[in-house]
Amino acid sequence: LSNSSLNFLEKTQTRLMYEKERLRFTRRATPRTAALQKVDAQLGRLRRLLAQNDEIAELRAAKTTRTRSKNVEFLTNFWRHAQVAYMLIHDAWCCRCRSDHRGDLGLLRRSATLFQLDIDFLFSQNASPAGAHPWSRLTTRILKEDSNLVIPAHLLDSSIATVSAATGLPPGLPRISDMCYAMSAPSTYDRCLGMLADAQGVEKYRVFLEGNGAQNSADGRFMSLGALLNIGPGKPGRKERYEIALVLASSHLQLHSSSWLEAGWSNSSVFFLVENEKPCFDRPYLRRNFASNSTSIPYTGFDLPFATLAIILLELCFGMTLDDSPYRAKHLSPDGSTNPAQDREAAWEWAKNVVGESGQEYARAVQWCLEKWRVREDDPGWRAEFHSNVVEVLETAYKKTWPE
């Protein structure tokens, strides 16, 4: 065949194949169209689900932001109530034995917006439950008066069970003028002890005694953080020390500028209940003396609570006290004594090793505290900065190391 004939045959064959395929696709047009319509419907449903998911995510993010903002605002103003409560408690200790009394403030990472202080009052730091004292250790809960507050039933006894629906106040609630005398009264467990109030009656705080908590605390013993860091078996592990650091950082935000932190932090003022020979590391207490003649606070020229918080964060980081660190001996007076300025200088040197021990985030939190020379109470913005640069940074580092 000639070339022209071959070209004609090829073109004819190609055309026939095309027509064959065209007819085949034409016969299957209806099922194919239905399948494509189903795909379009599923794609439309997917687009709607993605849009709804984006809306839900935005609403959740907005809710989280509002909740966080509300919590931060509450925490930044918590110290005002803590200060008022401290002064009312201080003024109510008018007994001759007031110099012996102590108060262990329960430290918490607060997220609620209800002002509440859990305080264990000690008749004497060295008093034993079986001693000849009117009381040894009583667990109390102090609540700011709020007409919307619902009082837990276990905090009320039958003598004050009738509560006004309008105010939520027990009728005839006594005013506490002498804390020691009120706690020495018979049958004080599981009931409302009374109310602490200022002379004008503007600031009011109700005091409840919890019987079970008082008995359990009295049966146990307490050890300071310094003592626990110095012992061998039973000392807090790395995770437990990190959790303690989170609680102390949050408590610093709550209590700074109040008399609770006037003397700053120390490993000898943070205590833990020991039950069955095991310290309860999730329940730290800050011990304070309410006596008027308590030890005077030395003038340092810098913010003592911030400097001491940095030191205690360092001690929790390395699992040892500053006195046991290699930097203690470098910063001593000629007579071997110490002072807050020398402690701070030793902490600066020690802080250089934090990155290798606990990471960059923990080191940033410690450095932020050491650099905070002074704060102005008329500029409360530093509290939000502290929350962002210390509390949240420590929380982030903790979640990275121990994810839920």
Side-chain angles (χ1 to χ4, degrees):
L1 294 174
S2 62
N3 290 335
S4 61
S5 298
L6 290 174
N7 291 337
F8 175 77
L9 288 174
E10 289 178 357
K11 291 180 180 178
T12 302
Q13 186 179 10
T14 301
R15 184 174 181 81
L16 289 174
M17 292 178 63
Y18 167 76
E19 290 296 332
K20 178 182 177 181
E21 294 297 324
R22 186 178 66 81
L23 290 173
R24 186 169 66 87
F25 276 101
T26 300
R27 288 195 301 268
R28 298 182 61 186
T30 301
R32 186 170 63 253
T33 301
L36 291 174
Q37 289 176 347
K38 289 182 179 180
V39 171
D40 289 339
Q42 294 299 325
L43 289 174
R45 182 183 178 189
L46 180 60
R47 282 191 291 268
R48 290 191 297 272
L49 289 174
L50 289 174
Q52 292 176 359
N53 183 69
D54 291 342
E55 292 177 1
I56 293 173
E58 291 178 0
L59 291 173
R60 286 178 177 173
K63 182 179 180 180
T64 301
T65 302
R66 289 194 301 269
T67 302
R68 176 182 174 277
S69 177
K70 187 175 181 181
N71 288 339
V72 172
E73 181 181 359
F74 170 74
L75 291 176
T76 55
N77 291 299
F78 188 93
W79 72 273
R80 301 180 188 276
H81 300 296
Q83 173 63 13
V84 173
Y86 181 96
M87 296 310 300
L88 292 176
I89 295 171
H90 178 275
D91 294 341
W93 288 118
C94 54
C95 53
R96 295 181 178 179
C97 49
R98 62 179 297 172
S99 60
D100 294 330
H101 303 330
R102 300 290 187 273
D104 281 358
L105 173 64
L107 303 178
L108 300 170
R109 293 173 61 190
R110 304 177 191 273
S111 58
T113 56
L114 171 67
F115 176 79
Q116 169 184 310
L117 291 178
D118 291 337
I119 306 176
D120 281 18
F121 289 104
L122 292 74
F123 188 91
S124 174
Q125 181 161 300
N126 300 317
S128 63
H133 302 288
W135 52 276
S136 58
R137 184 181 186 100
L138 297 178
T139 298
T140 69
R141 173 162 293 179
I142 299 178
L143 302 173
K144 182 173 174 57
E145 180 182 332
D146 185 350
S147 60
N148 297 320
L149 179 65
V150 177
I151 303 174
H154 77 279
L155 294 178
L156 299 175
D157 65 7
S158 57
S159 64
I160 55 173
T162 304
V163 179
S164 169
T167 63
L169 286 174
L173 189 66
R175 180 171 179 172
I176 301 174
S177 58
D178 187 333
M179 285 282 286
C180 187
Y181 176 80
M183 290 181 176
S184 302
S187 303
T188 56
Y189 291 119
D190 285 327
R191 72 179 185 89
C192 180
L193 183 65
M195 177 178 290
L196 293 168
D198 59 7
Q200 295 75 27
V202 176
E203 300 289 350
K204 300 177 183 178
Y205 296 82
R206 282 169 280 182
V207 183
F208 297 91
L209 296 183
E210 299 187 82
N212 291 335
Q215 293 164 358
N216 288 339
S217 296
D219 292 339
R221 61 190 178 94
F222 287 76
M223 292 185 66
S224 68
L225 176 61
L228 289 170
L229 291 176
N230 286 328
I231 65 176
K235 69 185 302 182
R238 181 180 177 85
K239 183 179 180 181
E240 293 164 329
R241 297 199 309 270
Y242 222 119
E243 291 171 346
I244 296 170
L246 285 171
V247 174
L248 297 188
S250 179
S251 299
H252 184 88
L253 178 63
Q254 302 164 33
L255 302 175
H256 189 282
S257 307
S258 74
S259 298
W260 292 101
L261 278 187
E262 185 177 8
W265 298 94
S266 72
N267 57 48
S268 61
S269 64
V270 177
F271 282 78
F272 298 87
L273 174 64
V274 180
E275 291 182 326
N276 299 322
E277 301 303 319
K278 293 183 179 180
C280 301
F281 293 118
D282 60 334
R283 293 159 58 186
Y285 293 87
L286 176 64
R287 180 163 296 181
R288 284 295 176 252
N289 182 359
F290 294 96
S292 299
N293 58 350
S294 57
T295 305
S296 60
I297 309 302
Y299 176 76
T300 60
F302 54 85
D303 193 289
L304 186 60
F306 271 106
T308 51
L309 175 63
I311 292 172
I312 206 168
L313 289 179
L314 286 169
E315 293 176 331
L316 290 168
C317 172
F318 293 99
M320 67 174 68
T321 64
L322 178 62
D323 291 340
D324 293 330
S325 74
Y327 303 97
R328 173 75 286 172
K330 297 180 181 180
H331 299 276
L332 292 172
S333 299
D335 61 356
S337 63
T338 64
N339 59 56
Q342 292 169 331
D343 293 344
R344 189 168 180 268
E345 290 300 318
W348 269 114
E349 281 200 61
W350 203 8
K352 297 175 182 178
N353 301 328
V354 175
V355 174
E357 180 70 20
S358 295
Q360 187 64 45
E361 290 90 352
Y362 201 106
R364 283 174 50 200
V366 172
Q367 184 176 2
W368 199 94
C369 294
L370 286 173
E371 291 177 347
K372 186 56 65 176
W373 190 261
R374 278 292 179 188
V375 295
R376 292 174 49 189
E377 291 312 319
D378 58 349
D379 180 20
W382 69 265
R383 293 184 185 272
E385 294 177 4
F386 177 82
H387 189 272
S388 300
N389 291 281
V390 178
V391 178
E392 288 186 346
V393 167
L394 290 176
E395 289 176 347
T396 300
Y398 177 82
K399 291 177 181 178
K400 285 181 179 180
T401 309
W402 297 280
E404 296 181 357

